């Protein structure tokens, strides 16, 4: 067996709680047997039967005194009896104060061995000193009492071999010596019998002690291994992310790891509940219907993913379990492992979300390239074509009215191209966070009127009536250029998707929370309910067909909403397909100052009169 010095430091043991566990490297050698604990267990029966043994000893002393009192003179008999009484009282006093010998040590064992030697010497006295002076009949009584005492004492001290052998040897030796002194054959035979009995009792004591020692050592090692396995399992439960659980034949929990309540976020009593009840799961949650089906069929559960809903989040468990069967093949329940895979599941969902976002970004990029190339190609064709015609001078000399039309077309196409590039740059600056607001106060009606006038010619060219109600107004705070850009984008978008003759109305609306909304209402083609949020994505349009009957690259609404949200507001759409759309550019109350109501002259005298 390896000692402490044989094992390198740090590999001898590790501590779990208050119990030291041997390392895996030391498991090949059996742990050292605690001899002091074994001695305490050996001495405990002595303490239990000590009053009876001392009672029997006192009775034997009285028999000897009664048998020899009339024939033995002098103080030796009384002195012997007093020594027996004193030693018996000492032993009983020690027993009363330390009955179980729970803290038995070498000192306790030595005290018992010394006591047994003292009793042995006292019982050797009658056979050696009193026998010659007493009658033959009394001698037989004394010999019988001493022989019985030798056997009884040796048997009582069997668990302590040294004490047992010493007691039997001293008392039996005294009997043997006394019988030799008498010199008769029968006496010699009795002496040899006494010695043989003492020798057999000694052998029995040694053999019994070895058997008890081996049995105690085996029990100690078995308990040690059981303790180690139990603590190792506990250590595994503490350090591992897996949780152990076990149910009875009705599916109710009879055991679970200590971390299960904290994992569930509850302090309720979980014993006696089913796993589904403990988790607070609904049968409709993912995996629980399969769990119920497998348990009902007494089948193995292997890597079943369960959804566990919480108040603020959703957790995921990976469940593995085996059915338990008794000796008669009766079903006892399930025992298994729960692994919390919430982090892995969320990471998986995040990867899926990121993949979908990447796919959408790739689609948006492809759509951006397709749309932008188409939109850029159209004005560039006009610019290049009419520029070539100007260079070729095919329609007469320069200064001819037809060249003015060419120049106007080139200017219009160049402006359109510049606006497309400006929208792309705005989106890029907003996404990068480099677009900053230059805030100032302005009149809402004035900025709406500016947007109306800038879009009036475009509406007139499209044969769309455009009107603006500027009576309701308020002071607003924000970036004038960007707010005007939002309004122009919304009005332009309404004109683009309206049919000739369909009117467009502009007005200012007082919101219930004190905010302000610029309202642009058209009677155009409308937007399908499923597309109301999609149209705010970059490069998306309400009409996404391949024919692309309406121009633009789909950045107007995206830019409008982003600028509105930079002002802590929003752009929202209410639309009915084929019946028109209402767009609202909403500013929060903190950016709006509504005018105070004016008190008329007619109401003033009445108020004054009432005050008086």
């Amino acid at each position: 067996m390896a000692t402490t010095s044989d094992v390198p430091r740090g590999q001898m043991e590790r501590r779990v709680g208050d119990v030291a566990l041997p390392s895996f490297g030391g498991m090949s050698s059996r742990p050292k047997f605690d001899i002091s604990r074994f001695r305490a267990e050996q001495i405990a029966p002595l303490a239990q039967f000590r009053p009876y043994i001392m009672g029997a000893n006192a009775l034997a002393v009285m028999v000897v005194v009664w048998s020899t009192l009339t024939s033995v003179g002098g103080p030796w008999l009384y002195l012997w009896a007093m020594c027996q009484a004193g030693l018996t009282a000492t032993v009983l006093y020690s027993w009363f104060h330390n009955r179980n010998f729970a803290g038995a040590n070498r000192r306790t064992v030595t005290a018992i061995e010394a006591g047994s030697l003292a009793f042995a010497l006292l019982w050797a006295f009658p056979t050696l000193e009193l026998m010659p002076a007493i009658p033959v009949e009394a001698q037989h009584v004394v010999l019988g009492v001493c022989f019985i005492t030798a056997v009884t004492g040796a048997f009582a001290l069997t668990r302590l071999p040294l004490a047992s052998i010493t007691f039997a040897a001293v008392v039996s030796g005294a009997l043997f010596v006394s019988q030799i002194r008498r010199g008769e054959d029968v006496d010699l035979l009795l002496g040899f019998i006494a010695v043989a009995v003492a020798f057999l009792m000694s052998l029995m004591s040694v053999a019994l002690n070895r058997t008890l020692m081996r049995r105690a050592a085996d029990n100690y090692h078995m308990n040690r291994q059981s303790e180690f396995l139990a603590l190792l399992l506990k250590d595994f439960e503490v350090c591992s992310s897996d949780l152990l659980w076990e149910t009875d034949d009705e599916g109710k929990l009879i055991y679970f790891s200590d971390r299960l309540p904290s994992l569930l976020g509850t302090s309720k009593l979980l014993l006696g509940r089913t796993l589904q009840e403990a988790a607070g799961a609904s049968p409709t949650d993912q995996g629980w219907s399969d769990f119920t089906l497998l348990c009902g069929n007494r089948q193995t559960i292997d890597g079943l993913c369960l959804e566990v809903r919480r108040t603020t989040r959703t957790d995921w468990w990976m469940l593995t379990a085996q059915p338990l069967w008794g000796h008669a093949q009766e079903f006892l329940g399930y025992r298994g492992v729960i692994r919390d895979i919430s982090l892995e599941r969320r990471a998986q969902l995040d990867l899926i979300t990121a993949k979908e976002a990447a796919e959408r970004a790739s689609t948006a990029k492809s759509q951006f390239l397709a749309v932008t190339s188409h939109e850029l190609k159209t004005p560039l064709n006009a610019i290049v074509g009419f520029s070539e015609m100007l260079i070729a001078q095919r329609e007469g000399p320069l200064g001819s009215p037809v060249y003015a039309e060419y120049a106007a077309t080139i200017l219009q196409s160049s402006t359109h191209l510049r606006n497309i590039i400006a929208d792309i740059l705005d989106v890029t600056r907003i996404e990068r966070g480099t677009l900053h607001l230059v805030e100032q106060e302005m009149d809402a009606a004035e900025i709406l009127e500016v947007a109306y006038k800038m879009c009036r010619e475009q509406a007139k060219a499209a044969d769309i009536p455009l009107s603006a109600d500027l009576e309701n107004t308020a002071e607003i705070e924000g970036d004038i250029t960007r707010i005007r850009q939002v309004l122009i984008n919304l009005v332009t978008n309404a004109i683009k998707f309206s049919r000739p003759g369909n009117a467009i109305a502009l007005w200012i609306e007082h919101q219930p929370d004190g905010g302000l909304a610029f309202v642009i209402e058209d009677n155009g083609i409308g937007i399908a309910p499923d597309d109301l949020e999609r149209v705010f994505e970059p490069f998306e349009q309400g009409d996404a067909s391949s024919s692309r009957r309406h121009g633009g690259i789909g950045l107007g609404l995206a830019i409008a909403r982003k600028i509105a949200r930079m002002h802590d507001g929003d752009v929202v759409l209410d639309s009915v397909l084929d019946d028109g759309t209402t767009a609202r550019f909403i500013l929060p109350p903190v950016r709006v100052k509504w005018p105070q109501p004016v008190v008329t002259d007619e109401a003033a005298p009445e108020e004054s009169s009432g005050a008086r």
Side-chain angles (χ1 to χ4, degrees):
M1 181 180 297
T3 62
T4 302
S5 60
D6 298 328
V7 185
R9 177 175 294 182
Q11 298 182 9
M12 290 191 295
E13 61 178 28
R14 57 189 178 86
R15 188 164 296 275
V16 179
D18 295 328
V19 181
L21 296 181
S23 66
F24 288 105
M27 285 300 294
S28 59
S29 61
R30 291 158 66 92
K32 187 176 181 180
F33 176 60
D34 189 356
I35 190 66
S36 62
R37 182 177 177 181
F38 170 74
R39 291 188 180 280
E41 295 175 352
Q42 295 297 90
I43 297 173
L46 295 178
Q48 182 179 358
F49 295 104
R50 181 166 294 188
Y52 306 104
I53 297 174
M54 291 298 100
N57 184 76
L59 180 61
V61 170
M62 287 187 291
V63 170
V64 171
V65 173
W66 177 77
S67 301
T68 60
L69 184 61
T70 57
S71 58
V72 177
W76 293 108
L77 180 62
Y78 301 104
L79 181 61
W80 176 78
M82 291 177 60
C83 290
Q84 285 277 11
L87 189 56
T88 301
T90 302
V91 172
L92 290 176
Y93 178 81
S94 175
W95 167 82
F96 183 79
H97 285 279
N98 190 11
R99 304 185 186 187
N100 298 324
F101 288 93
N105 49 33
R106 183 60 191 172
R107 183 177 180 182
T108 305
V109 175
T110 302
I112 295 176
E113 292 174 346
S116 65
L117 177 60
F119 272 109
L121 294 175
L122 287 175
W123 279 108
F125 176 78
T127 57
L128 294 175
E129 298 297 332
L130 299 182
M131 289 290 288
I134 60 178
V136 176
E137 296 81 5
Q139 288 182 8
H140 293 162
V141 174
V142 172
L143 289 174
V145 170
C146 290
F147 182 76
I148 294 173
T149 301
V151 174
T152 304
F155 180 77
L157 295 170
T158 304
R159 292 177 178 268
L160 293 178
L162 181 60
S164 177
I165 293 172
T166 301
F167 188 86
V170 172
V171 178
S172 300
L175 284 173
F176 180 73
V177 171
S178 67
Q179 295 304 103
I180 290 178
R181 285 178 180 177
R182 298 184 63 177
E184 299 181 5
D185 294 338
V186 175
D187 296 329
L188 292 176
L189 180 61
L190 291 176
F192 280 111
I193 290 174
V195 172
V197 170
F199 180 72
L200 292 176
M201 289 298 300
S202 299
L203 292 179
M204 184 180 68
S205 177
V206 172
L208 179 61
N209 181 73
R210 289 181 178 178
T211 301
L212 294 176
M213 181 78 76
R214 184 171 57 253
R215 185 180 301 170
D218 291 341
N219 290 336
Y220 170 79
H221 295 312
M222 185 179 298
N223 294 334
R224 182 72 173 175
Q225 293 295 331
S226 300
E227 182 184 36
F228 174 79
L229 291 176
L231 292 176
L232 185 63
L233 180 61
K234 198 71 175 179
D235 194 13
F236 168 77
E237 293 183 6
V238 171
C239 300
S240 174
S241 60
D242 296 343
L243 305 177
L244 303 181
W245 60 278
E246 185 175 346
T247 66
D248 57 13
D249 57 341
E250 296 180 354
K252 297 180 179 179
L253 289 170
I254 59 175
Y255 173 80
F256 51 82
S257 298
D258 295 338
R259 290 197 302 115
L260 182 58
S262 60
L263 178 64
L264 294 173
T266 180
S267 59
K268 296 180 180 178
L269 182 64
L270 301 181
L271 288 175
R273 296 187 176 190
T274 65
L275 190 61
Q276 183 173 336
E277 291 173 348
S282 170
T284 58
D285 291 345
Q286 181 177 334
W288 288 103
S289 59
D290 295 335
F291 173 76
T292 303
L293 180 62
L294 291 172
C295 290
N297 295 331
R298 310 289 191 260
Q299 293 178 317
T300 300
I301 303 173
D302 186 14
L304 180 62
C305 186
L306 298 176
E307 180 183 12
V308 183
R309 295 184 182 271
R310 295 284 167 269
T311 305
T312 58
R313 69 179 192 276
T314 298
D315 290 341
W316 297 89
W317 292 354
M318 181 70 74
L319 197 71
T320 302
Q322 291 283 347
L324 304 177
W325 305 96
H327 295 291
Q329 293 303 309
E330 72 276 14
F331 177 68
L332 302 179
Y334 271 92
R335 181 182 298 145
V337 176
I338 295 174
R339 173 170 295 178
D340 185 8
I341 60 170
S342 302
L343 294 178
E344 294 87 339
R345 182 72 176 184
R346 293 190 186 102
Q348 183 182 11
L349 294 177
D350 290 342
L351 287 175
I352 293 174
T353 303
K355 177 177 176 292
E356 293 176 348
E359 290 176 350
R360 287 195 301 270
S362 178
T363 303
K365 180 189 72 173
S366 300
Q367 185 173 0
F368 163 73
L369 293 175
V371 172
T372 305
S373 61
H374 175 80
E375 291 297 325
L376 293 177
K377 184 177 179 181
T378 301
L380 282 175
N381 286 338
I383 294 171
V384 172
F386 285 103
S387 298
E388 290 177 346
M389 294 177 69
L390 286 173
I391 295 172
Q393 299 184 13
R394 296 177 181 176
E395 302 295 335
L398 291 176
S400 174
V402 69
Y403 291 110
E405 295 179 5
Y406 295 167
T409 302
I410 292 173
L411 178 61
Q412 183 180 6
S413 299
S414 301
T415 303
H416 179 57
L417 184 60
R418 182 188 61 187
N419 293 336
I420 291 175
I421 296 174
D423 287 345
I424 295 174
L425 292 176
D426 283 343
V427 169
T428 303
R429 292 172 63 190
I430 293 173
E431 293 294 339
R432 294 176 60 186
T434 58
L435 181 65
H436 302 289
L437 300 179
V438 181
E439 300 191 12
Q440 55 186 310
E441 293 186 353
M442 69 201 84
D443 184 78
E446 290 182 5
I447 196 168
L448 182 62
E449 183 179 10
V450 171
Y452 162 75
K453 291 180 177 179
M454 294 183 68
C455 298
R456 184 169 51 189
E457 293 299 324
Q458 181 182 355
K460 184 176 180 181
D463 193 20
I464 295 175
L466 181 65
S467 62
D469 183 356
L470 305 176
E471 293 184 2
N472 192 20
T473 187
E475 288 292 325
I476 60 175
E477 182 179 355
D479 190 321
I480 296 178
T481 303
R482 296 302 173 182
I483 291 177
R484 182 173 66 241
Q485 180 182 0
V486 172
L487 293 175
I488 293 174
N489 283 351
L490 294 177
V491 176
T492 302
N493 203 64
I495 295 172
K496 185 189 303 182
F497 292 98
S498 293
R499 302 182 183 92
N502 292 340
I504 298 177
L506 315 177
W507 72 87
I508 296 173
E509 185 176 78
H510 192 154
Q511 296 294 99
D513 61 352
L516 179 144
F518 295 99
V519 183
I520 297 92
E521 183 183 58
D522 65 62
N523 297 293
I525 63 175
I527 304 173
D530 295 339
D531 295 333
L532 284 176
E533 289 300 320
R534 184 181 63 82
V535 295
F536 285 104
E537 296 295 327
F539 315 113
E540 295 285 349
Q541 290 184 332
D543 177 20
S545 62
S546 58
S547 60
R548 297 195 49 81
R549 293 171 294 176
H550 308 284
I553 60 175
L555 291 177
L557 288 177
I559 294 174
R561 170 166 279 187
K562 291 180 183 296
I563 293 176
R565 290 182 174 177
M566 291 178 67
H567 286 81
D568 300 319
D570 203 356
V571 173
V572 296
L573 300 177
D574 294 320
S575 183
V576 177
L577 193 61
D578 296 328
D579 197 23
T581 302
T582 301
R584 284 182 172 83
F585 173 21
I586 302 172
L587 293 176
V590 295
R591 291 185 174 274
V592 181
K593 294 180 182 179
W594 292 98
Q596 298 296 326
V598 179
V599 179
T600 62
D601 294 338
E602 295 178 357
E606 295 180 2
E607 292 178 1
S608 300
S609 175
R612 288 194 294 270

